[in-house]
Amino acid sequence: MPQGGATGSLDSAEYDPIDHLNAIFSHPSTLSSISKTSKALSHYQDELDNEVAELVNVQSTSDAESVERIQAAKFDLAELFQKIEGVRERATVTEQAITGMTADIKRLDNTKRNLTLSMTAIKRLQMLTTAYEQLRGLSSSKQYRECAQLLQAVIQLMTHFKSYRSIDQIAILSRNVSDIQRELLEQICEDFEVTFAKGEVQQKRGMLGEACLVMDALGDNARLRLVAWYCNTQLREYRQVFRGNDEAGSLDNISRRYSWFKRMLKTYDDQHAAIFPSHWRVNEMLANAFCEGTRDDFKGILSKSIRRADGQGLNVNLLLSCLQETLDFEHGLEQRFTNTSRTSIDTLTSNDEKAPVFSQAISEAFEPYLSIWVEAQDKQLSTMLPRYRLQLPKPSDEDFSSQMVMSSSTELFSFYRLTLTQCSKLSAGSPLVELSKVFAKYLDQYAQQILFYYISERPSGQTPSRTPSIEDTIIVLNTADYCYNTCTQLEEKIKSRVDEGFRSSIDLQSQADAFMGIASAAVRGLVRKVEVDLEPSWREMRNTGWSKLESVGDQSSYVGELLGKFKSRSAEILVSLHKQQYARAFCDNLVESLMHSFVANIIQCRPISEVGAEQMLLDLYVLKKGFEDLITLNNSNTSAPASYIKRVSQAIARLDPLLKTLQVRPSPPEALVQAYLIHIADKSDVNFRKILDLKGIKKQDQPHLVELFQAHRASPTNETLPQYSAFLTPLAMSNGGAATSIGAGIGSLSHGSTLSASNLPGRFDPATLGSALMTAARDGVDRFGTPVLGTPSRGMSPPPGQHIQTADGATVNGNVNQNLRNIGKFLKRDLSSFGGRFGGKGGGGSDDGMK
C-alpha cells in the first residue's frame, strides 16, 4: 500500500472505501498518485490470493492425517476388547474349579453341625423325660422342695423343644408337662386351703414354705393366685364384722378397724411370714387389700351420711378425727414398708426416689368431703372478725410503742398457720386451694372492716366526728405492713405444700396490695394531722392584702408560724415511724400536700400584685428550706437523701412559672404576654385568662390582652408550644375564689370531699379526715395521695349503686377493696427508688407471722 495505515483500514470489519479514498486523496495535489495507488491495491490483492491458496492446501493435508489417526484408534480398541473377553473367560473357569474343590468341605461341615444338634437334642430330650418322670413321683409324695428344683429344670428344658411340637412325641410330652404344672398348682392351693381351714399352719409350716418355692417356679400367675387367696382368707372376718354391722362399720368405730388390722399384721409376722418368700411382699399386698376395701367402705359410709333423711350432715369434728386417725395409720404403714429393701423388685431405683405406697390409700375417700371442714373454718373466721372490730388498736393497759401492731392481726395469722398445717396434712389438692380462697376472703374483710375502719371517720355523738389519733394511725400502719409481709409469706407457704398442678391457683397478691393500700391511707392520715395544725397559718396567708404590698421584705408572718407548727407536729410523727420507708413516704406526701395547699391559697388570695407575687416567691423558698430539713428533724447529724432533696426541688419548681409570670406588670402588655409564653409556655386562651384573673385585671380590659396573646402565639417562634399547660390547665377557679382542683403532681386527697352530697368549703376541714380517706379509696387515685384530675373537691357524693362502709360495721362494696389494692400498688411503685421493696423487712419488721 502506498499510504501508511491503509492496511489497517482494509483489514477493518467496518471498512468503508469512500472514507478510505477521501483519506488518501484529501487534497487536489494528491491526485497525481492515483496510478501508483491502483498498482499497490492490485499487488495487495495478489498477496491475499496467494495466502488463501496456501491455507487451503495446508488444511487439505491435515484432514487426511486426522482420518488415518482415527482408523488406528478403532483398531486398537477392537484388540483391547478381545483381550478383556479372554480374561473374563479365564476367570469363570477358575471360579468353577475352586467351587468344585470346596464343595466336599462344605458338605462335611454341614454334616458335622447337624450331627451336633441332633446329639444335643437327644441328650436334652433324655434329660427332660427323666426329669418329668421324677417330677411326677415327687409331686405325688409332696416333696415340694425337690419338685421346685426339678420343675425349674423341666420348664427350662421344655423351652428348647418349642420348635419341635409338630412331632407327635414332643407334643405329647409338652402336654404332659403342662398337665403336671396344673396339677401341682391345684394340689398346692388345696394344701393351703386345707391347712388353714384345719388350723394346722404351725405343724405344716415347713411343707407350705416348700410349696411356695414350687409356686415361684410356676410363675407370676400362680404366685398372685395364692397371694390373692391368702389376702381374701385373712380379710374375710374383717369384711363380715365391719360390713355386715352398721354400728361396727360406722365412723365412730374407725379405730377398731385399724386395731384389727394391726393384730392381723402381728399374726402374719409371728405365724405366716416364714411360709412366704420375702420378695413376695405378702404383708404389703395384704395391707393394700385392706386399704382398698376400707377405702370403699368409707366412701359408702360418707356418701350415706351426706344423704341422710333426717337432714343431719357429717359432724366436722368426727370427720377430722377419723381422717387424722387414717393419716396416722397410713403413715405407720408407709414407715413399715418403705424401710424394707426392695432391691429384688426395683434395683435401679433407690428408696428415696420411690413414690409413697400408702399415701392417701384410705384417706382419698375423705378428700371430697373436706369442703365441709373448709366451710367450718369459714364459719369460725366469720365469728372472729366482729370480735376484732370491737377491740381497740391499743389496749388501754399497754404503753404505746412505735413497732406495735394490733393483736388481732397476729391472732388471725396464727389461726391461719395452724389451719394451714392441719389442712396440708389432710390434703395437698383442691381442699387446700379452697382454704386459700377462704384465707383471701377474710384478709380482704380484715383490711376493709378492721384496719380501714380504724382510720375512717366515725360518728361520736358530737360534732365533729371522731378521727383516729396519731398512735392509732401508726399502729394501723404497722399492722398493715405486718399483714403485707405475712400475706406474702403465707402465699409462698401454701404453694410449697399444695400439689404442683394447683400452684397457679394460689394467689394472695391482691390481698397484699390491699394492705399496702391501707398503709397508704394511714400515711395520708398522718399528713392530715399536720394539715389540721397548719390551717390557721393558711388563714393568715389568705387574710394578707397581697394586692396592696408596696415592697418585698423578709418572709411573711404566716411563714414562721407555719414552719414552727409544721416541724413540731412532723417531728412527733416521724419519731414514731420506725421504718425509713414510711418516714420517707410521709415526708414526700406532706411536701406534695403543702404545695397543693399553697397553690389553693394563692388562688384564694387574688388579686395579687407584682410585689405580692415576688413576696410569695420569697416565702416559697423559705418553705423549701424547711421542707428539705423535714426528713432529718429527729436526726440532725445526718443529711437528707439526694433523691428527697430532688423531689422537694421538683415540687417547688412547679410553682415558679406561675409566680414569675404574676411578677410581670400588665403594662406594657407585650411584656406580660411574653412572660406567659416563656414561663407557662402554652397556647391556651383559658389558661391565659386565669393569669389575668389572678392579677386582678378587670374583665373589660382582658379582651385586648387576649388578642395580643393570640397574635404573639401565632408567631413562628411559638409554634412548638403545647396547647395546654400540664400545671395550669387542671387549675379551676370558682366564682367565690376557691380552687376546686389542683394540677397533676401537686394534688392530694380532695380537701373537702365527704361522704355526703352537702356543699363544704374549699379549704380543709379537720372534721372530714375520715371521709377524705374513704373517698380516696372509693373514687380511686392516679398515684399515692393524688386524685384523678378533674374530680371536684367538694360536694362529692357516692357514685350510684356504690355502698360505703358505715360506722355500725356494714360491709363495704368490693370497689373500696379494689381501690385500696390500687393505692397499694401505686405506693410500692412511688417508693421503689429509696431502699428496697416498700413494706419489706428493712427497717425492722414488727413480727414474722408465718414462721
Side-chain angles (χ1 to χ4, degrees), residues 386-510:
R387 177 165 51 86
Y388 292 160
R389 187 164 179 171
L390 297 176
Q391 299 175 1
L392 295 175
K394 180 180 74 66
S396 57
D397 57 345
E398 292 187 16
D399 295 332
F400 171 76
S401 168
S402 63
Q403 299 185 13
M404 178 179 289
V405 298
M406 294 166 55
S407 60
S408 59
S409 64
T410 58
E411 181 181 341
L412 177 66
F413 280 106
S414 177
F415 177 82
Y416 275 14
R417 184 181 67 253
L418 295 176
T419 306
L420 174 61
T421 302
Q422 189 175 16
C423 185
S424 61
K425 292 180 179 178
L426 304 179
S427 172
S430 57
L432 195 54
V433 177
E434 294 302 319
L435 182 65
S436 71
K437 294 179 180 179
V438 173
F439 286 171
K441 169 184 174 182
Y442 286 98
L443 286 174
D444 283 337
Q445 292 188 17
Y446 185 80
Q448 178 180 323
Q449 298 182 14
I450 308 300
L451 300 184
F452 196 60
Y453 170 75
Y454 284 136
I455 58 175
S456 301
E457 172 188 4
R458 301 193 298 278
S460 61
Q462 301 176 355
T463 303
S465 298
R466 181 182 180 278
T467 57
S469 65
I470 292 178
E471 291 184 354
D472 287 350
T473 304
I474 290 178
I475 291 174
V476 170
L477 172 61
N478 292 339
T479 304
D481 176 70
Y482 163 75
C483 291
Y484 171 81
N485 291 323
T486 314
C487 189
T488 304
Q489 298 171 16
L490 176 63
E491 178 182 344
E492 295 173 354
K493 185 69 68 175
I494 297 175
K495 286 184 176 180
S496 68
R497 298 190 178 188
V498 76
D499 290 337
E500 186 173 358
F502 293 100
R503 287 178 186 171
S504 59
S505 303
I506 308 299
D507 184 11
L508 298 179
Q509 190 57 47
S510 61

Side-chain angles (χ1 to χ4, degrees), residues 673-818:
V673 171
Q674 289 296 334
Y676 179 90
L677 292 173
I678 292 173
H679 298 302
I680 305 300
D682 75 359
K683 300 179 180 180
S684 172
D685 293 346
V686 176
N687 290 343
F688 183 70
R689 289 181 184 274
K690 292 177 183 178
I691 297 296
L692 300 182
D693 288 341
L694 288 174
K695 292 183 68 63
I697 297 176
K698 298 179 181 180
K699 295 291 184 181
Q700 58 269 24
D701 297 335
Q702 291 185 10
H704 170 68
L705 292 171
V706 172
E707 290 177 1
L708 185 62
F709 168 73
Q710 292 173 347
H712 283 269
R713 179 184 64 190
S715 66
T717 57
N718 297 319
E719 288 180 354
T720 58
L721 294 180
Q723 186 64 36
Y724 298 101
S725 166
F727 168 75
L728 200 57
T729 300
L731 190 66
M733 295 182 291
S734 63
N735 293 333
T740 57
S741 108
I742 300 300
I746 294 184
S748 61
L749 291 173
S750 304
H751 275 220
S753 58
T754 66
L755 294 178
S756 67
S758 60
N759 294 325
L760 296 178
R763 60 179 180 270
F764 171 67
D765 181 357
T768 64
L769 167 61
S771 297
L773 293 172
M774 180 69 75
T775 304
R778 188 187 69 227
D779 295 338
V781 293
D782 64 326
R783 53 165 290 142
F784 173 51
T786 305
V788 178
L789 293 179
T791 303
S793 65
R794 58 178 182 167
M796 297 183 67
S797 60
Q802 179 172 321
H803 305 286
I804 303 301
Q805 181 182 9
T806 59
D808 59 356
T811 303
V812 182
N813 187 274
N815 283 343
V816 175
N817 235 13
Q818 183 60 44

Side-chain angles (χ1 to χ4, degrees), residues 470 474 567-576 634:
I470 292 178
I474 290 178
K567 292 182 178 180
S568 174
R569 178 65 78 173
S570 298
E572 178 186 354
I573 293 174
L574 286 172
V575 75
S576 298
N634 294 317

Side-chain angles (χ1 to χ4, degrees), residues 179 195 441 549:
D179 291 341
T195 303
K441 169 184 174 182
L549 291 181

Side-chain angles (χ1 to χ4, degrees), residues 74-296:
K74 288 182 178 180
F75 177 79
D76 293 340
L77 284 175
E79 185 177 358
L80 178 61
F81 287 146
Q82 290 177 358
K83 292 180 179 180
I84 292 174
E85 184 65 23
V87 172
R88 187 180 66 80
E89 291 176 355
R90 287 195 298 273
T92 303
V93 172
T94 303
E95 182 183 4
Q96 292 174 353
I98 293 173
T99 301
M101 293 170 61
T102 58
D104 294 338
I105 298 175
K106 289 183 179 179
R107 187 163 49 252
L108 290 174
D109 286 342
N110 291 334
T111 301
K112 180 181 177 182
R113 184 169 54 255
N114 293 335
L115 182 59
T116 301
L117 291 174
S118 300
M119 292 174 66
T120 302
I122 292 172
K123 185 176 180 180
R124 287 174 176 170
L125 181 59
Q126 182 183 6
M127 293 170 61
L128 177 59
T129 304
T130 302
Y132 169 73
E133 294 297 336
Q134 292 177 356
L135 182 60
R136 288 190 63 86
L138 293 173
S139 64
S140 61
S141 61
K142 296 186 179 181
Q143 299 181 39
Y144 290 131
R145 182 178 295 277
E146 292 77 8
C147 281
Q149 298 174 358
L150 277 177
L151 181 59
Q152 291 178 355
V154 168
I155 293 175
Q156 186 176 3
L157 288 170
M158 200 62 220
T159 58
H160 297 291
F161 294 95
K162 287 184 178 180
S163 59
Y164 302 108
R165 288 183 179 178
S166 59
I167 302 173
D168 294 341
Q169 289 80 358
I170 300 298
I172 294 172
L173 182 59
S174 177
R175 285 195 297 270
N176 291 338
V177 171
S178 298
D179 291 341
I180 196 170
Q181 287 179 323
R182 188 164 48 254
E183 290 172 6
L184 279 171
L185 174 60
E186 298 298 334
Q187 180 178 315
I188 292 173
C189 288
E190 183 179 355
D191 289 343
F192 268 88
E193 292 175 3
V194 172
T195 303
F196 275 82
K198 293 181 178 182
E200 299 175 350
V201 176
Q202 294 299 321
Q203 296 84 343
K204 298 184 178 181
R205 185 164 53 184
M207 183 267 289
L208 296 179
E210 294 175 354
C212 288
L213 299 178
V214 177
M215 299 297 276
D216 234 355
L218 288 174
D220 290 342
N221 291 334
R223 174 173 57 81
L224 292 175
R225 173 179 170 181
L226 180 61
V227 173
W229 170 86
Y230 173 79
C231 294
N232 290 330
T233 301
Q234 298 303 306
L235 296 176
R236 185 179 299 119
E237 179 185 354
Y238 168 77
R239 292 164 182 158
Q240 291 174 352
V241 172
F242 292 99
R243 287 186 181 176
N245 189 323
D246 291 341
E247 181 179 356
S250 65
L251 293 178
D252 295 328
N253 293 318
I254 190 172
S255 58
R256 290 179 56 191
R257 292 176 178 263
Y258 300 142
S259 298
W260 185 95
F261 185 71
K262 290 176 182 177
R263 291 194 300 272
M264 173 58 62
L265 284 180
K266 189 175 186 305
T267 300
Y268 173 84
D269 292 337
D270 296 340
Q271 302 178 14
H272 302 161
I275 298 175
F276 301 101
S278 59
H279 66 272
W280 283 18
R281 307 199 320 273
V282 175
N283 54 350
E284 186 174 340
M285 298 182 70
L286 180 63
N288 274 322
F290 172 82
C291 291
E292 290 176 2
T294 305
R295 182 179 65 238
D296 294 340

